[in-house]
Amino acid sequence: MLSGLADPAKVLGFLDISLMVKGEWDPSLMLVMMTALGVYLPVYLLWVKPRMAISQGPMLDSQYHVPNRSRIDGPLIVGAALFGLGWGMLGICPGPAVVNLSSLDPMALAFMAAMVLGAYLGRLIQRLIARRQQCPVEA
């Protein structure tokens, strides 16, 4: 909340780089991201990665849940594009959206409802595709 990352207007002011020409672009969120990376990267490199190398899990779970796929495929591209479109149009992403729920703002509630519905539909589509690949319809 202090950084402004949960404020859609501030996020849009950062994402809209065309505002640079007018001198109205707000780069302050870049400092927030760089600070977060500056905290996370040493912790990951000095604590998480060595523990993963010796198959030692985190303190409150049996294993670390890190992505193990490195292939760029269609679902990744479509998902990233949809995420980027939503973030660019509304200036909000899932983490700050959860924070904004506390305001009981109807837009925040609608965003979260749409996000949950989208996640449900995405899983449903994945299941349908997997089922179709298992039992192809003969023509």
Side-chain angles (χ1 to χ4, degrees):
M1 292 300 288
L2 291 174
S3 69
L5 197 56
D7 178 9
K10 186 160 184 85
V11 172
L12 289 173
F14 170 71
L15 292 174
D16 188 357
I17 57 173
S18 70
L19 295 174
M20 279 185 190
V21 176
K22 301 175 189 172
E24 298 173 7
W25 183 62
D26 182 3
S28 62
L29 290 184
M30 192 177 307
L31 289 172
V32 174
M33 289 184 252
M34 288 173 29
T35 302
L37 191 58
V39 170
Y40 173 77
L41 193 58
V43 170
Y44 177 76
L45 293 174
L46 299 172
W47 178 261
V48 176
K49 197 169 180 179
R51 290 174 63 89
M52 285 180 7
I54 60 172
S55 299
Q56 190 173 8
M59 291 191 289
L60 300 176
D61 201 348
S62 60
Q63 67 181 15
Y64 286 102
H65 301 277
V66 293
N68 56 4
R69 291 174 41 181
S70 59
R71 198 176 118 232
I72 296 175
D73 57 5
L76 176 66
I77 292 170
V78 170
L82 288 173
F83 179 86
L85 282 170
W87 195 31
M89 288 188 321
L90 301 172
I92 194 80
C93 62
V98 171
V99 172
N100 287 339
L101 281 177
S102 65
S103 70
L104 298 178
D105 176 22
M107 291 302 289
L109 296 170
F111 178 89
M112 286 300 293
M115 188 175 72
V116 169
L117 178 63
Y120 172 76
L121 290 175
R123 292 267 166 97
L124 184 65
I125 290 168
Q126 283 179 330
R127 281 191 217 124
L128 290 172
I129 290 171
R131 221 180 273 152
R132 182 173 236 180
Q133 288 173 347
Q134 289 173 354
C135 314
V137 178
E138 294 182 22

